[in-house]
Amino acid sequence: MTSTEKQITAVMKSRGFTWLLIAVSLAMGWIAYSVGISGRYVSPGTMWLPDPGRWIPGGGLSAVSGVVLAGACGVVMAIINKVYNLLRTVSLLFVGLYMIMLTATPEVFTALGSGPVLALVILLAIMLLYSIFDDPHNSRRLFLVFVLLTAGAVTDYSFIPFIPVFIIGARQLKCLSWRSFAAALIGVVTPVWIMWGFGLLDFTSLKLPDPQAMYKLFDVSDNIRLIISVGITLLLGLVVGVVNLMKIIAFNARSRSMTGFLSLLGIVTGVLCIVDFTNIMAYVVLLDVCVAFQIGLFMRIYESRRAYILGAAVILIYSGCFVCNVIV
């Protein structure tokens, strides 16, 4: 790289640039809310308890809550990277890029819903799972992982597919034994049992998703910008993930297991976006989280090969998506 390119890379990796991206994303969120984009999407339904989209009536409080939860996801991402050296860098650029990526789907970014709640729960579960790498005797934390997932599942079925994913992840991170597996199963049952005991749940009132009704709620023509934005993220995650995979296999066992689980999580989330497209709003934030991690890893691995171009491209592309959402 030339000296100018090295300076550009240094600027992009700086904390100041990350804070600039966060500030810009918040300004974009305010603009989106001001023009009335917030709350366009209709939730397909709940399981037992009301889904997060129904916790707070639409309006300013819902918008602020959604942005705060999305920001909390960014904070947990930074903590995970710092504690476990996931991306092998102290740069927080991936957090800033994650926030910019969110602005491409302002209807998700500026409203409280299942999306930011699912992403935050998954990130907390990841942090717990990483903390017991190669420690199959620490069944308490694995129990907590599945308590978190099941507690979310009683409000939205989008949490359910991630329960088997974390079972696989526990095996991949060498923290699954027969004892810890039993703890995981108890963790799945415990939230439902406690809520039933307090009269919060009624097993006869379980609401399973109706594919036909959900399809009628989802109008492709009204959500074409959302579909395009998610499609861009899926393509970006696929390309960057495959490129990173060639380097991940050379990592040590700990790093390979952790980054490998993150890749698995991204793949499953991407598949869910396609298969369960009527509930795509629930998976968008988590998809952005997974792809932002992959971009951060790519920019660290290929830093000397003009990886800054990818960072700049992400900022321009997702900013363009935001402008299209606001203007069109």
Side-chain angles (χ1 to χ4, degrees), residues 68-186:
V68 168
L69 280 180
C73 291
V75 172
V76 179
M77 289 169 68
I79 293 173
I80 290 174
N81 182 57
K82 180 178 181 180
V83 174
Y84 303 105
N85 195 24
L86 192 63
L87 307 183
R88 302 186 174 191
T89 178
V90 296
S91 173
L92 295 177
L93 176 60
F94 67 100
V95 176
L97 294 177
Y98 151 75
M99 293 294 290
I100 290 294
M101 291 167 70
L102 281 176
T103 64
T105 51
E107 58 269 71
V108 179
F109 184 38
T110 57
L112 179 62
S114 298
V117 175
L118 173 65
L120 184 57
V121 168
I122 293 296
L123 283 167
L124 293 174
I126 289 173
M127 192 157 55
L128 284 169
L129 193 63
Y130 282 179
S131 69
I132 54 174
F133 171 76
D134 200 17
D135 186 8
H137 302 293
N138 196 333
S139 56
R140 292 181 181 179
R141 294 189 183 182
L142 196 62
F143 166 81
L144 289 175
V145 168
F146 291 93
V147 166
L148 286 172
L149 294 174
T150 308
V154 300
T155 66
D156 194 308
Y157 69 86
S158 60
F159 288 82
I160 295 176
F162 295 99
I163 293 176
V165 172
F166 272 84
I167 291 288
I168 297 172
R171 176 64 179 172
Q172 188 174 347
L173 272 76
K174 303 177 183 180
C175 56
L176 190 67
S177 63
W178 285 111
R179 179 180 177 182
S180 58
F181 180 69
L185 293 180
I186 296 172

Side-chain angles (χ1 to χ4, degrees), residues 8 12 17 93 97 299 307-317:
I8 293 173
M12 292 185 70
F17 189 76
L93 176 60
L97 294 177
M299 295 187 69
Y308 71 90
I309 296 175
L310 176 61
V314 168
I315 295 171
L316 291 174
I317 291 171

